[in-house]
Amino acid sequence: MRNELAALAAEVMGMTREPWEYLLLRATVRRGALWPNDRMNHRLTSGPSEKHVRCKHPQALRALPRDCVLEMRIERDGTFEALLTNGIKQFTGYLPPSYTVVVEPRPRELFEPYERVGVVGDGPLAHVEAALGAQIPAEVHDLYRGGRTTLGRDELIPADEILAVHRRLLGKGREKAGDPRRWHSFWQLAFNPPGTVRPVPFHPLWVPISRTPGYYGERCVDLAPGPAGRVGQVLDDGVLRAGSVEEWCAAPMPPGIRCERLTSPTPARIAAVPRDVVVLEVDAAEELDLTALDLPSLGRLRVRAGRVRVGDLPIGDLEVHADEVELGALDRLTTLKISGARVALPPLPSLRVLHAAEAEVDVVPDGLDYLALNAGQWSRCTARPAAARLYGERSLARALDWAGGLGAELPREVVRGRAG
């Protein structure tokens, strides 16, 4: 490692003839190849002014470990200090960069343990039942015994391919379950009636039976529904589409998602928003009053205005940019992104994700899974989320110190040496 960093330091020193006090290289090395013209993975600055230095891609980054973040300071005499870590993710698209830190690594369980059932049967799906340890409803067996190959505009997944598709979807679900930023699916939380579907990326007892030709979009039979659900209900990417395969066969195309976008709307136009709208985006110049809305299907609301008032709505996702914000009782709200305003948050019992780095909030609630604040807010915050993003910090070293102050144990390595 020391030789690789020395080679990188020497290469960086040779990239510029401009006078400098020191050179500072910040790089995010991701899994996979780094292409020669990929300039989104690193930032090279000169001295305390943060002035960018024109340079070629530092090819020596290829020798560094994958999936790490590097900060290297090179002095004029060739000595350098490098800090590497793989417990923090840098977002270089922001200037200054932002960092996502897993403060308390505790990956969410993908699913609750279930009791396997010894299934003994025959037919084309017997091997699926045996592998999963669960019984598949008779109507699904009948579907395959009938020799059908299509289901509406879907194609039926052949019985001998079901387990392979299931393994692929389960692997993707496990990957999402290990990333706190992907724990919550807007589509599931917004569209599923409460308690009908387990809020997980993928459950081992979701059995894929059909797909859209040429597209990785599978419909699954749910053998482990929520307390208000029904065994055998049909899911599309975790969203409830039918109560059974029979219902799906009768109306196999999922209902469309009604979206409305309003620019500078009048009160009459807002009042005329259809009651079945699911996504609503409103851009108003000054004051916007949404307290009289009665939209039982609304799941996502995005608002931009001078002053905003939001009433009691069933939304699960809210994004608002305003100078003044007044929020009602949003019992189902799970994700809140707010900017430009000072906000007194009401009780939000379902809130799991809060992004307030560009706003001022009076009190940050505990129990969040994901929290994004700026450096000043973090210095006053007592909440301890499972994962957090720090905005506005230019130094990886200071970001790590901040994370350590929250109790994180992040794997990092400090290497010192001389470029030779």
Side-chain angles (χ1 to χ4, degrees), residues 94 96-99 320-321 336-341 343 353-361 364 370-378 380 388-393:
Y94 300 97
S98 65
Y99 300 91
V320 57
H321 179 88
L336 174 61
K337 182 176 182 180
I338 193 163
S339 59
V343 185
V353 177
L354 175 62
H355 191 311
E358 300 175 12
E360 283 295 330
V361 294
V364 174
Y370 188 65
L371 178 60
L373 299 176
N374 58 48
Q377 292 169 328
W378 274 115
R380 304 186 300 271
R389 182 183 290 187
L390 172 67
Y391 275 79
E393 180 55 73

Side-chain angles (χ1 to χ4, degrees), residues 77-94:
D77 61 1
T79 57
F80 67 88
E81 179 173 329
L83 175 67
L84 295 93
T85 177
N86 60 2
I88 186 171
K89 294 185 182 296
Q90 180 188 32
F91 291 80
T92 54
Y94 300 97

